[in-house]
C-alpha cells in the first residue's frame, strides 16, 4: 500500500500546480463579478486544469525542466488556459503566413 501512495505522489504532483493556476484564474473572474465562486463553471474549470496540467507536464518533460520550473510552467499554462493558447497559436501562424510570399 505504501508503494501505491509513493507512486501516486511521485507521478501525480503535476496536478496541483494545474489546479492552483486555474483556481487563480477563476478567482480573478469572481473578483471581477463575471461569475460566482461556487457556480456551474467549477466542473469545466476542473477539466481545463487537468488538461492544461497534462500539457504543461509534457512540455516540462520534453524540455527536461527541473521540478519547480516545470511546476511554474504548468501553473502559468493552466492560468492562461486553452483560449489564450489557441489565440496565441493563431497569431503566430498568421505572422508566418504574412512572411511567406
Amino acid at each position: 500500500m505504501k508503494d501505491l501512495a509513493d507512486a501516486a505522489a511521485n507521478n501525480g504532483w503535476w496536478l496541483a500546480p494545474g489546479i492552483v493556476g486555474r483556481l487563480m484564474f477563476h478567482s480573478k473572474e469572481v473578483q471581477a463579478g463575471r461569475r460566482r465562486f461556487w457556480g456551474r463553471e467549477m466542473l469545466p474549470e476542473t477539466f481545463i486544469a487537468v488538461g492544461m496540467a497534462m500539457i504543461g507536464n509534457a512540455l516540462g518533460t520534453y524540455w527536461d525542466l527541473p521540478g519547480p520550473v516545470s511546476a511554474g510552467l504548468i501553473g502559468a499554462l493552466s492560468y492562461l488556459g486553452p483560449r489564450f493558447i489557441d489565440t496565441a497559436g493563431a497569431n503566430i501562424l498568421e505572422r508566418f503566413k504574412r512572411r511567406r510570399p
Side-chain angles (χ1 to χ4, degrees):
M1 191 65 160
K2 184 176 182 330
D3 294 333
L4 181 63
D6 288 341
N10 291 332
N11 296 320
W13 67 268
W14 48 271
L15 284 173
I19 292 170
V20 169
R22 206 62 202 160
L23 188 59
M24 288 188 309
F25 175 81
H26 182 70
S27 297
K28 184 184 78 160
E29 293 291 304
V30 170
Q31 289 174 345
R34 290 188 281 266
R35 49 173 82 163
R36 295 180 318 211
F37 188 78
W38 295 110
R40 62 181 178 197
E41 300 89 3
M42 288 299 284
L43 183 62
E45 290 291 336
T46 304
F47 293 128
I48 291 171
V50 171
M52 298 307 293
M54 290 171 71
I55 293 168
N57 186 40
L59 287 173
T61 302
Y62 180 75
W63 289 330
D64 200 24
L65 298 175
V69 178
S70 187
L73 175 69
I74 293 167
L77 285 176
S78 190
Y79 176 82
L80 295 174
R83 185 169 44 183
F84 173 81
I85 293 171
D86 183 44
T87 304
N91 288 340
I92 290 169
L93 287 176
E94 187 64 32
R95 287 182 190 171
F96 279 129
K97 287 180 183 177
R98 278 188 264 156
R99 282 185 178 177
R100 295 192 170 202

